[in-house]
């Protein structure tokens, strides 16, 4: 699906923290912080241009979770989520390489202490690797990587993503 399809006015039952927010702020739109950050990265001008050129990889290296998504024509084609504190730069790059090759498995991610993955249906050759999040420096060495910072401020990435989600929300 699309990142903006992960914004809710009524979240799924199992999203208990989102329900808590909705109880405190009735009518609020809520979204997971990782997907909000990735959607926010899409508001960066360079990233907007790259979307039309071909597939992208978006990575959010948060303080607690790392979330990676392959994006083609606005649709998520593959992803993985892991605990940032359990990942070195090399381990993160390895997971990403396996994801892009279509070879990463849930079992491999779970075995390393992560949350799982959905591999893309075919190998992905991204035109740009977009990195965001407070731990993004871990992946500065990746080739063809870009540190997204819409309006010059990476720390508001999730806020920009929520605004973008609200604009696209039906």
């Amino acid at each position: 699906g699309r990142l903006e399809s992960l914004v809710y006015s009524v979240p799924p039952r199992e999203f208990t923290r989102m329900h808590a927010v909705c109880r405190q702020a009735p009518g609020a739109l809520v979204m997971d912080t990782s997907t909000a950050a990735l959607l926010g990265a899409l508001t960066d001008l360079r990233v907007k241009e790259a979307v039309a050129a071909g597939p992208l990889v978006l990575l959010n290296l948060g303080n607690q979770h790392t979330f990676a998504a392959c994006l083609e024509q606005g649709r998520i084609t593959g992803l993985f989520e892991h605990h940032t504190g359990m990942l070195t730069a090399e381990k993160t790059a390895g997971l990403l390489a396996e994801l892009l090759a279509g070879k990463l498995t849930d079992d491999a991610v779970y075995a390393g202490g992560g949350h799982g993955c959905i591999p893309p249906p075919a190998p992905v050759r991204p035109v740009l690797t977009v990195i965001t999040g407070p731990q993004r420096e871990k992946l500065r060495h990746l080739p063809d990587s870009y540190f997204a910072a819409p309006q010059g401020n990476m720390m508001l990435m999730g806020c920009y993503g929520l605004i973008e989600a609200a604009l696209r929300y039906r």
Side-chain angles (χ1 to χ4, degrees):
R2 297 183 177 278
L3 288 168
E4 64 268 20
S5 70
L6 299 171
V7 64
Y8 306 98
S9 59
V10 178
R13 182 176 42 108
E14 55 274 2
F15 293 177
T16 56
R17 289 182 286 180
M18 287 185 193
H19 277 282
V21 170
C22 290
R23 281 192 300 276
Q24 294 296 315
L29 292 177
V30 292
M31 190 174 199
D32 179 80
T33 57
S34 289
T35 52
L38 296 184
L39 188 55
L42 294 177
T43 68
D44 182 282
L45 293 178
R46 181 168 175 203
V47 178
K48 277 184 181 183
E49 291 173 0
V51 167
L56 301 178
V57 174
L58 304 167
L59 289 110
N60 181 54
L61 279 78
N63 286 323
Q64 299 297 319
H65 291 97
T66 290
F67 189 87
C70 302
L71 196 74
E72 261 185 274
Q73 298 177 343
R75 299 190 67 79
I76 301 167
T77 60
L79 59 86
F80 77 81
E81 185 175 19
H82 211 294
H83 295 277
T84 303
M86 299 177 83
L87 297 174
T88 62
E90 294 76 25
K91 175 81 172 172
T92 306
L95 289 169
L96 181 60
E98 286 187 47
L99 179 70
L100 294 176
K103 296 179 180 180
L104 190 61
T105 65
D106 262 343
D107 289 341
V109 175
Y110 290 140
H115 293 288
C117 80
I118 299 171
V124 176
R125 292 196 169 177
V127 297
L128 188 64
T129 299
V130 181
I131 304 172
T132 189
Q135 302 295 321
R136 66 189 186 162
E137 286 295 326
K138 280 185 175 181
L139 295 182
R140 182 166 287 285
H141 69 283
L142 283 182
D144 299 317
S145 62
Y146 174 68
F147 283 13
Q151 287 76 42
N153 193 332
M154 183 279 301
M155 291 308 292
L156 294 176
M157 195 73 67
C159 298
Y160 297 133
L162 283 172
I163 292 168
E164 186 68 17
L167 292 172
R168 297 180 185 192
Y169 186 75
R170 305 172 218 223

